[in-house]
């Protein structure tokens, strides 16, 4: 961090967005129940608060929390087709985990994990609870055409919203009915055969407009750009057709209802059904991997003001996401085992002193000496390269059985002595994957026979009462319940367990007359959890206005993350629950100082900020056999014959985690499979520190919003102190891995950019034209090689493959909008992405294992060879353009 501060570029922070400026003292509520904090004297990011800003955003800003507001006008300039694009372009310090073009992504802000950035949509937590097939990514279910505004509350905010808000909350508000008739219809088309149609319409159900509804829908289809370069693919995966298009499809329908019960009372309800279909095959393993997700989501909200002092807000939700994950693996022929050959051939081999074949060449040499013996594998594959579990429904074999009753080979394995496959060549067919637990039947195939749905149910409510005692004191009290459980097919064998958290919280807000311009919030929360330890969190927020637009703000508090369904050991019948598992805990501290005011007929805001976050007990997953000493192969009586780890290796694996000893004793006594996983806590903390400068101004024709974030997000370095190894050998050398990899105890967290600079600049020469530029400049971002690859060096002692920096790029997006008609009902947009044609990756692999490559399955290279690994990235979009037309009324 000190070295970074010495850099003049970063110290000057050349760019910048705005934070929060608000009138601090609470005014007496107006007799009609209005709230004077909504007057134009309230400012957030240097701009007066409007009716679309939520009460809680104003409250948070007034009492020390850094708040960012993103309006529908800003969102429209980007023409974004999913929320990942929007977050990357407009949310300060945001980092998108995974690739939005694959239909999967998470939102991370300010250097943290996706476990600590809580995404809310109309009060519904869009947070993955895990499923036995794959994670479900609710962020993909957001319809960008329906977003009205986005509010970002930085710093620990679990107090009001429950777990997972340790680094902040991203709150999305969507369009709502309001008792009037209005609507939008649009089309969007362009690069990658993109085609979209969308619309929404709101209208009253009665003449007074007390009852009204809004209906909306969207259909979006695209072939998407090429995610992986040809060079990323393994030779056998490529030969089997693994390189193909990655189409993405989003479809949704929804209905919203408003009952305006009275001037101070309203009830809202909504229902949305979205489907997201996409492919996410990987270049080193899968040939074809389409995913089909469904997101039925329901929400309701009730607001009522009893009088000028007391009001209540209640939000509730229910969601039941489902996933069908079809996974077609490349089935690669392995070197035949001696026992797979006919008995007479085995006898010939024994006569020559042969006990097995370590390479394909060794088998081929033997086959050449035996007349009529095919020089290929004579049974279907064995070993690690198959990567598909046993199909227990077909007899528990590790090869594919012919199930055609009319075939002369019915009930026999494919790939016989009469019909061998060349060693190391593609088998010519693919195999459906199974879950690693459950009844062993195929779960990732097609159709009703061998395709299984997985998912979860998530429901809860959040009720909050606010009481204004006088001009100086306000009290908030609330209760929140969150419950979730698995809702997958019985074949997965997930145990019937529900996680429930009920929290009560209170907030004392003070605007003391003895300190003019001071506001303070002092809050605490107690959560009572089933199947997990109870938790207590707190938060303090302070703000001081000094006059003349100058202010200082600060907030600090604690948070935690509830475990997912798999982390409590619900997956599988085995007792893979770690009784020592602790919650992931977050301590967050966020301060800032700035100035705002009026200038050149407009407004401006400049703020310098600093944040510091400490995350401990980070959740992680480990194989039982890798961390339990009872599973060592050098014990007097090993539990299993095929164990690979000795005591020293297991102790090395345990050095960075809180050892699950109680769990290990239970697993060993029950003879749990060493390949099963167990959730554990990391031993070291993740320390995050960062500086921000935000600048915003809003003039007559020009608006701009810039933000620079410099962050140090440190994680333990797993290869620290590891001995180097000569490439192609299994012998350790007498020196540690050279460079930063072997000599630094900590490193920048993977996929966390060291700094980012982003902005939105808009020029409106008249009421018909809007020109916008959305730049993003990003510093180093790392994908690290695993220990086996990182330790390999050449004869000169230099690393053969360095860690991969896929950052250091500049991407410029932009748009031109033209409004036609007296009421600007017709909107035309031309959107351009990556206008400068930058080559960059959205995500990267620092060194994946290519176990299906021909040289690997022939035994010619192995884990101690650099050629066994490959680095690749998820391509960012090339220069591309789209057009959009929208009609509003």
């Amino acid at each position: 961090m000190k070295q970074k501060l010495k850099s003049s570029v970063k110290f000057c922070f050349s760019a910048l967005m705005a934070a929060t400026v608000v009138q601090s003292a609470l005014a007496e509520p107006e007799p009609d129940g209005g709230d004077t904090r909504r007057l134009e004297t309230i400012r957030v990011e240097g701009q007066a608060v409007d009716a679309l800003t939520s009460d809680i955003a104003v409250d948070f800003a007034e009492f020390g929390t850094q708040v960012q507001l993103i309006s529908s006008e800003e969102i429209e300039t980007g023409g974004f087709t999913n929320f990942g694009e929007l977050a990357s372009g407009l949310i300060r310090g945001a980092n998108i985990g995974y690739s939005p073009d694959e239909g999967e992504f998470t939102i991370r802000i300010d250097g943290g994990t996706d476990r600590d950035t809580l995404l809310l949509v109309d009060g519904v937590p869009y947070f993955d609870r895990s499923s036995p097939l794959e994670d479900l990514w609710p962020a993909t279910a957001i319809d960008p055409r329906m977003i009205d505004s986005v509010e970002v509350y930085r710093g620990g905010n679990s107090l009001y919203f429950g777990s997972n808000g340790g680094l902040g909350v991203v709150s999305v508000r969507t369009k709502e009915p309001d008792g009037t008739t209005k609507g939008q219809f649009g089309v969007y088309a362009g690069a990658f055969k993109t085609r979209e149609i969308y619309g929404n319409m709101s209208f009253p159900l009665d003449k007074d407009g007390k009852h009204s509804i809004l209906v909306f829908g969207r259909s979006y289809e695209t072939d998407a750009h090429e995610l992986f370069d040809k060079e990323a693919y393994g030779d056998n995966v490529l030969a089997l057709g693994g390189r193909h298009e990655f189409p993405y499809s989003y479809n949704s329908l929804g209905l919203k209802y408003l009952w305006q019960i009275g001037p101070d009372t309203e009830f809202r309800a909504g229902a949305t059904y979205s489907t997201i279909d996409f492919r996410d095959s990987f270049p080193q393993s899968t040939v074809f991997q389409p995913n089909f997700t469904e997101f039925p989501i329901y929400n309701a909200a009730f607001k009522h003001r009893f009088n000028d002092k007391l009001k209540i807000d209640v939000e509730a939700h229910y969601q039941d996401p489902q996933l069908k994950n079809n996974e077609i693996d490349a089935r690669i022929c392995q070197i035949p085992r001696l026992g797979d050959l006919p008995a007479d051939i085995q006898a010939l081999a024994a006569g020559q002193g042969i006990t097995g074949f370590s390479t394909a060449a060794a088998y081929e040499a033997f086959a050449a000496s035996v007349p009529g013996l095919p020089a290929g594998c004579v049974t279907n594959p064995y070993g690690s390269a198959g990567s598909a579990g046993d199909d227990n429904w077909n007899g528990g074999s590790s090869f594919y059985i012919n199930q055609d009753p009319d075939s002369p080979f019915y009930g026999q394995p494919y790939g016989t002595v009469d019909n061998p496959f060349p060693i190391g060549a593609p088998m010519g067919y693919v195999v459906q994957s199974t879950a690693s637990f459950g009844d062993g039947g195929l779960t990732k195939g097609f159709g009703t026979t061998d395709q299984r749905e997985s998912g979860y149910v998530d429901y809860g409510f959040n009720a909050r009462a606010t009481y204004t005692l006088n001009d100086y004191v306000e009290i908030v009290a609330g209760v929140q319940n969150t419950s979730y459980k698995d809702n997958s097919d019985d074949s997965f064998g997930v145990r019937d367990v529900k996680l429930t958290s009920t929290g009560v919280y209170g907030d004392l807000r003070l605007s003391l007359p003895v300190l003019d311009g001071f506001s303070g919030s002092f809050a605490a929360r107690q959560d009572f959890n089933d199947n997990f330890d109870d938790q207590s969190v707190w938060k303090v927020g302070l703000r001081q206005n000094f006059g003349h637009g100058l202010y200082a703000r600060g907030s600090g508090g604690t948070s935690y993350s509830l475990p997912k369904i798999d982390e409590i050991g619900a997956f599988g019948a085995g007792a893979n629950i770690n009784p020592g598992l602790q919650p992931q805990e977050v301590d967050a501290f966020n301060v800032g100082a700035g100035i705002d005011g009026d200038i050149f007929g407009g407004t401006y805001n400049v703020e310098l900020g600093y944040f510091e976050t400490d995350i401990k007990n980070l959740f992680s997953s480990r194989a039982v056999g890798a961390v339990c000493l009872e599973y060592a192969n050098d014990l007097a009586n090993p539990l299993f014959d095929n164990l690979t780890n000795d005591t020293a290796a297991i102790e090395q694996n345990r050095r960075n985690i809180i050892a699950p000893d109680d769990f290990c004793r239970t697993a060993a006594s029950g003879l749990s499979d060493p390949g099963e996983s167990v959730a554990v806590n990391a031993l070291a903390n993740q320390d995050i520190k960062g500086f921000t400068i935000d600048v915003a101004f809003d003039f007559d024709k020009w608006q701009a919003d810039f933000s620079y974030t410099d962050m140090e997000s440190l994680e333990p370095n797993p290869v620290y102190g590891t001995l180097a190894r000569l490439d192609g050998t299994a012998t350790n050398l007498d020196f540690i891995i050279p460079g930063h990899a072997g000599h630094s105890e900590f490193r920048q967290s993977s996929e966390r950019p060291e700094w980012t600079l982003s902005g939105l600049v808009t020029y409106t020469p008249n009421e018909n034209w809007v020109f916008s530029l959305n730049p993003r400049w990003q510093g180093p971002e790392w994908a690290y090689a695993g220990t086996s690859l990182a330790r390999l060096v050449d004869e000169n002692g230099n690393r053969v493959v360095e860690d991969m920096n896929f950052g250091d790029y500049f991407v410029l997006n932009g748009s031109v909008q033209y409004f036609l008609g007296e009421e600007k009902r017709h909107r035309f947009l031309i959107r351009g992405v990556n206008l400068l044609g930058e080559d960059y990756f959205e995500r990267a692999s620092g060194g994946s294992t290519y176990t299906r490559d021909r040289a690997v399955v022939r035994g010619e290279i192995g884990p101690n060879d650099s050629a066994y690994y490959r680095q690749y990235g998820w391509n960012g979009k090339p220069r591309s353009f789209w057009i959009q037309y929208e009609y509003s009324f």
Side-chain angles (χ1 to χ4, degrees):
M1 176 64 77
K2 292 181 180 178
Q3 291 178 347
K4 287 195 236 178
L5 290 176
K6 291 179 181 177
S7 165
S8 60
V9 175
K10 297 177 183 178
F11 183 76
C12 293
F13 299 107
S14 49
L16 319 142
M17 266 170 46
T20 58
V21 176
V22 293
Q23 183 79 12
S24 82
L26 281 171
E28 183 72 24
E30 296 178 340
D32 63 357
D35 194 334
T36 57
R37 280 176 291 168
R38 289 218 164 278
L39 294 177
E40 59 187 19
T41 54
I42 302 301
R43 290 189 175 185
V44 176
E45 301 180 285
Q47 301 184 26
V49 168
D50 60 26
L52 294 178
T53 307
S54 69
D55 291 339
I56 201 165
V58 176
D59 291 340
F60 279 2
E62 184 169 1
F63 291 98
T65 295
Q66 186 183 17
V67 176
Q68 179 189 1
L69 304 179
I70 301 173
S71 68
S72 58
E73 290 79 12
E74 291 174 306
I75 295 170
E76 285 179 351
T77 64
F80 306 110
T81 58
N82 59 63
F83 190 72
E85 287 185 329
L86 186 155
S88 180
L90 298 179
I91 296 179
R92 303 167 184 164
N95 181 248
I96 308 306
Y98 228 63
S99 171
D101 300 286
E102 290 182 86
E104 296 183 327
F105 55 87
T106 56
I107 311 297
R108 303 184 292 237
I109 59 175
D110 296 341
T113 72
D114 55 275
R115 300 297 297 263
D116 307 302
T117 301
L118 180 60
L119 176 61
L120 298 174
V121 180
D122 296 328
V124 181
Y126 277 39
F127 186 81
D128 168 53
R129 305 299 184 185
S130 89
S131 80
L133 277 178
E134 266 190 24
D135 287 343
L136 275 162
W137 310 80
T140 62
I142 300 175
D143 181 355
R145 308 303 183 198
M146 283 294 295
I147 297 177
D148 216 19
S149 65
V150 178
E151 300 173 348
V152 184
Y153 318 135
R154 278 186 158 73
N157 277 294
S158 286
L159 196 130
Y160 273 72
F161 306 107
S163 72
N164 307 113
L167 278 144
V169 170
V170 177
S171 179
V172 178
R173 294 290 171 179
T174 62
K175 296 179 173 66
E176 299 278 0
D178 61 4
T180 65
T181 299
K182 60 182 180 179
Q184 294 172 316
F185 294 94
V187 293
Y188 181 90
F192 320 118
K193 301 179 183 177
T194 299
R195 56 271 188 207
E196 176 187 5
I197 183 170
Y198 65 93
N200 65 83
M201 182 175 180
S202 174
F203 53 89
L205 298 176
D206 62 321
K207 63 179 182 179
D208 296 325
K210 288 188 174 182
H211 299 273
S212 58
I213 63 172
L214 182 150
V215 293
F216 60 94
R218 180 188 187 218
S219 178
Y220 173 83
E221 306 284 340
T222 181
D223 284 354
H225 66 281
E226 185 176 58
L227 285 181
F228 305 112
D229 295 333
K230 183 177 180 180
E231 293 73 23
Y233 287 87
D235 51 15
N236 278 326
V237 173
L238 191 63
L240 281 171
R243 185 177 182 228
H244 47 68
E245 293 178 337
F246 286 74
Y248 171 87
S249 172
Y250 179 103
N251 292 276
S252 69
L253 286 173
L255 176 70
K256 293 191 172 190
Y257 166 71
L258 166 65
W259 179 15
Q260 194 67 52
I261 302 172
D264 301 316
T265 309
E266 68 175 32
F267 171 78
R268 295 182 181 272
T272 305
Y273 179 78
S274 302
T275 62
I276 300 95
D277 304 333
F278 60 96
R279 301 180 194 167
D280 69 341
S281 300
F282 294 97
Q284 77 276 20
S285 56
T286 48
V287 174
F288 187 65
Q289 195 168 335
N291 297 265
F292 305 93
T293 57
E294 303 174 6
F295 289 91
I297 301 174
Y298 311 90
N299 70 294
F302 176 77
K303 295 182 179 181
H304 176 65
R305 179 177 284 277
F306 294 92
N307 49 50
D308 60 355
K309 293 182 178 293
L310 179 63
K311 63 178 182 179
I312 61 170
D313 296 89
V314 182
E315 295 178 323
H317 74 275
Y318 179 92
Q319 53 185 323
D320 181 16
Q322 292 286 306
L323 166 68
K324 294 179 182 178
N325 174 218
N326 312 118
E327 188 170 294
I328 305 304
D329 285 332
R331 210 49 161 146
I332 306 302
C333 183
Q334 301 289 284
I335 302 166
R337 299 178 302 186
L338 187 61
D340 299 331
L341 301 176
D344 58 335
I345 303 298
Q346 293 183 46
L348 286 175
Q352 298 179 30
I354 296 175
T355 58
F357 308 104
S358 60
T359 66
Y363 172 72
E364 289 164 347
F366 170 72
S369 69
V370 181
L373 179 61
C377 59
V378 295
T379 63
N380 273 344
Y382 290 90
S384 61
S387 191
D390 288 355
D391 178 11
N392 287 343
W393 289 352
N394 284 331
S397 60
S398 59
F399 44 80
Y400 197 83
I401 304 294
N402 188 326
Q403 294 294 309
D404 182 2
D406 298 325
S407 170
F409 301 103
Y410 174 70
Q412 298 180 26
Y414 290 109
T416 65
V417 174
D418 296 327
N419 186 28
F421 290 91
I423 295 176
M427 292 295 282
Y429 69 91
V430 291
V431 174
Q432 301 165 179
S433 293
T434 69
S436 60
F437 37 77
D439 62 14
L442 294 172
T443 56
K444 298 187 178 184
F446 294 86
T448 58
T449 301
D450 53 10
Q451 183 183 64
R452 300 288 176 265
E453 285 190 342
S454 73
Y456 58 85
V457 171
D458 180 334
Y459 54 93
F461 68 88
N462 195 352
R464 182 169 54 250
T466 305
Y467 183 75
T468 305
L469 186 64
N470 51 42
D471 287 350
Y472 314 116
V473 180
E474 187 172 73
I475 301 171
V476 180
V479 58
Q480 181 184 19
N481 173 269
T482 300
S483 300
Y484 50 98
K485 61 181 181 179
D486 182 76
N487 189 28
S488 304
D489 190 275
D490 291 341
S491 64
F492 291 105
V494 180
R495 293 189 306 112
D496 187 15
V497 61
K498 179 172 69 174
L499 285 87
T500 300
S501 177
T502 301
V504 292
Y505 57 93
D507 188 1
L508 176 63
R509 299 170 175 171
L510 303 176
S511 297
L512 301 179
V514 295
L515 294 172
D516 186 28
F518 171 82
S519 298
S521 167
F522 307 88
R525 176 182 176 121
Q526 176 65 45
D527 280 4
F528 304 95
N529 300 327
D530 293 339
N531 294 305
F532 210 67
D533 292 343
D534 295 344
Q535 300 294 320
S536 299
V537 298
W538 59 269
K539 181 183 178 184
V540 173
L542 305 172
R543 181 178 205 87
Q544 179 67 55
N545 288 341
F546 300 103
H548 306 289
L550 293 168
Y551 66 91
R553 59 157 184 84
S555 65
T558 59
S559 178
Y560 74 100
S561 295
L562 284 169
K564 297 182 181 181
I565 297 170
D566 60 329
E567 289 166 343
I568 63 164
F571 291 179
N576 54 338
I577 300 174
N578 178 7
L581 188 68
Q582 297 297 314
Q584 183 169 302
E585 300 178 9
V586 181
D587 295 332
F589 176 68
N590 194 306
V591 296
I595 183 172
D596 76 339
D598 301 321
I599 187 172
F600 303 134
T603 63
Y604 73 94
N605 171 252
V606 179
E607 180 182 289
L608 171 65
Y610 172 80
F611 59 89
E612 186 171 317
T613 306
D614 182 55
I615 307 177
K616 58 184 176 182
N617 296 331
L618 283 153
F619 287 129
S620 186
S621 179
R622 295 289 190 275
V624 172
V627 296
C628 292
L629 293 168
E630 293 85 347
Y631 286 74
N633 61 11
D634 55 358
L635 298 177
N637 296 296
L639 293 176
F640 295 87
D641 294 333
N642 58 345
L643 294 174
T644 58
N645 280 349
D646 59 19
T647 300
I650 293 175
E651 287 177 342
Q652 177 78 359
N653 294 335
R654 289 158 61 98
R655 67 174 184 169
N656 292 322
I657 65 170
I658 299 175
D661 290 329
D662 290 341
F663 161 79
C664 289
R665 284 189 287 270
T666 302
S669 63
L671 294 178
S672 296
D673 189 279
E676 288 187 17
S677 62
V678 59
V680 297
N681 297 116
L683 195 58
N685 297 350
Q686 182 177 13
D687 297 316
I688 305 171
K689 298 179 178 66
F691 292 90
T692 62
I693 286 198
D694 302 319
V695 171
F697 59 83
D698 187 354
F699 301 152
D700 180 32
K701 294 183 179 181
W702 288 93
Q703 298 83 38
D705 196 348
F706 295 101
S707 179
Y708 177 84
T709 301
D710 184 303
M711 63 185 169
E712 183 181 66
S713 180
L714 296 181
E715 66 179 8
N717 178 9
V719 300
Y720 169 66
T722 302
L723 292 176
R725 180 175 290 176
L726 184 62
D727 189 13
T729 74
T731 303
N732 291 341
L733 301 176
D734 59 357
F735 60 90
I736 293 173
I737 299 172
H740 186 273
H743 292 81
S744 297
E745 188 175 356
F746 295 91
R747 66 187 187 186
Q748 180 79 358
S749 298
S750 61
E751 299 186 345
R752 307 292 194 281
E754 295 181 10
W755 57 267
T756 59
L757 171 61
S758 60
L760 177 64
V761 181
T762 303
Y763 173 57
T764 310
N766 55 52
E767 64 179 10
N768 298 109
W769 290 96
V770 180
F771 300 87
S772 298
L773 290 175
N774 183 201
R776 181 179 178 88
W777 188 14
Q778 184 163 299
E781 185 173 3
W782 296 93
Y784 295 105
T787 302
S788 297
L789 176 59
R791 70 191 310 178
L792 299 180
V793 298
D794 60 21
E795 61 277 3
N796 297 317
N798 299 314
R799 286 183 63 184
V800 179
V801 178
E802 296 285 351
D803 297 320
M804 186 178 182
N805 174 17
F806 63 99
D808 288 325
Y809 60 79
F810 178 79
V811 175
L812 180 64
N813 304 327
S815 69
V816 177
Q817 295 182 83
Y818 179 70
F819 293 86
L820 184 64
E822 292 185 2
E823 299 182 13
K824 300 170 67 174
R825 290 186 173 181
H826 304 274
R827 181 170 73 96
F828 299 87
L829 176 142
I830 300 176
R831 178 197 183 196
V833 166
N834 196 1
L835 297 174
L836 303 180
E838 182 85 346
D839 255 344
Y840 72 102
F841 292 143
E842 293 178 336
R843 185 188 179 218
S845 168
S848 295
T849 57
Y850 277 66
T851 56
R852 291 164 175 80
D853 271 17
R854 188 160 302 163
V856 175
V857 297
R858 287 183 59 84
E860 295 162 358
I861 59 174
N864 293 311
D865 297 281
S866 56
Y868 185 80
Y869 308 89
R870 194 168 306 165
Q871 296 178 327
Y872 64 88
W874 282 250
N875 292 321
K877 283 189 176 72
R879 184 188 294 115
S880 43
F881 297 91
W882 294 264
I883 58 173
Q884 181 179 359
Y885 167 73
E886 183 177 276
Y887 174 70
S888 302
F889 60 91

